[in-house]
Amino acid sequence: MKIVAADIIVTSPDRNFVTLKITTDEGITGLGDATLNGRELSVASYLRDHVAPLLMGRDPHRIEDTWQFLYRSAYWRRGPVTMAAIAAVDVALWDILAKAAGMPLYQLLGGASRTGIMAYGHASGRDIPELFDSIRRHLDEGFKSIRVQTSVPGINAVYGVAAQPSSTGQRYDYEPAQRTPLPAEEDWDTRAYLRHLPSVFEAVRGEFGPELPLLHDGHHRMTPIQAAKLGKALEPYDLFWLEDCTPAENQEALRLVRQHTTTPLAIGEVFNTVWDYQTLIREQLIDYVRSAVTHTGGITAMRKLLDFAAQYQIKSGIHGPTDISPVGMAAALHLDLAIHNFGIQEYMKHTPLANEVFRQSFTFTDGYLHPGDQPGLGVELDEEAAARFPYEPAYLPFNRLKDGTVHDW
Ligand code: EZ4
Ligand code: CO
């Protein structure tokens, strides 16, 4: 079998997605997600201008060889644009291989290690009653684990709160990126946040009891000592995890956090290779790996990363926001089903319009996801529908402190 075409499809059904479609001389096609929120066109160009020509005539079965070729022949290593492009090729080749074998992809990864994939949903509220309503809605939809984000008195717009008024007048129900030519400016105050958050978890535990797994995303906003303080303050509320408590480019910072708290830690949605985790995993400084298949070199690289983590009893918590396309979600679900050290899967539903463009076979039943049993990934891209929604500039917001200083968002 030979690769005869590699097309890059950029479409924007409510949000931007970049998809790679590889076609073989036998007429089998494979899809890979290359969406990088707010930087979509750079990955599209990387693929179209620099990668697609290299794929022509290659044997699609040679997945490992293609991965190593794209990684090493670029000379320039790592980085979100490169690794998203490699991920798209890798996932598209796995899709082709599984379709050629007539099996759902998870069978080629060793078969199912479980019957369903526990997913967590995103609940949020501007105040406690609104938050409780949102948690109840998620429980009614079947979610068995819930991420909790709330507004903080004195801060206008906090990451992850769907109903708060944004500077552009759009709600955050599906995701934080907004269709604006410039990133929206938001505000932040870590001391106010640290004072408020424990009282929110106390209220949630009081209302929903001790069993419900609760998660929280700190979104890289704290220093190590602030993160240690928050982890400690949240211990009575038994979190499933505290995510991105510090900007973890500095992996050593997690030593300090770890010395002070037994709250489980999850990190890595902005990382793109196993090297970003070397200290974190070897020294057991985290409990969950948050990378996305889409941003970390695909199935091939994620499998190696998660196998490394498994040696240290560190589990998966694959990134699954709406900026991961249904193609990227399906890739995550096949991996989730197959690996032994599965932890939890983030699941933020796509909009109905996005689901019209990307037809999926994965299911969400009683809190558990399953990739389905169609050959390959189980996702089809309706290219005619995709063409109706051209790219629109959209950016994630950014933060400034009260004195105007730019802060991590
Ligand atoms: O802000 O995917 O845990 N989930 C997250 C996401 C990220 C977005 C950035 O593109 O933190 O909502
Ligand atoms: Co996050």
Side-chain angles (χ1 to χ4, degrees), residues 37 147 159 217 219 243 269 290 319 321 323 346 396 409:
N37 210 358
R147 190 184 85 162
Y159 163 79
D217 194 342
H219 233 241
E243 176 183 344
E269 70 184 38
R290 286 289 286 135
H319 198 209
D323 46 289
E346 184 178 27
L396 290 165
W409 178 76

Side-chain angles (χ1 to χ4, degrees), residues 89-164:
V89 175
D90 183 81
V91 170
L93 295 184
W94 279 107
D95 191 18
I96 289 169
L97 191 68
K99 282 180 183 168
M103 292 178 189
L105 174 56
Y106 71 84
Q107 297 290 19
L108 271 59
L109 301 174
S113 286
R114 56 195 51 78
T115 52
I117 297 159
M118 164 129 102
Y120 72 89
H122 288 193
S124 68
R126 286 168 296 186
D127 52 25
I128 296 287
E130 195 176 273
L131 174 63
F132 284 4
D133 283 350
S134 175
I135 294 174
R136 274 188 209 104
R137 261 201 315 280
H138 281 82
L139 295 174
D140 289 345
E141 283 178 40
F143 281 104
K144 306 225 175 307
S145 307
I146 309 275
R147 190 184 85 162
V148 170
Q149 306 292 133
T150 60
S151 297
V152 174
I155 307 179
N156 294 320
V158 179
Y159 163 79
V161 183
Q164 73 197 354

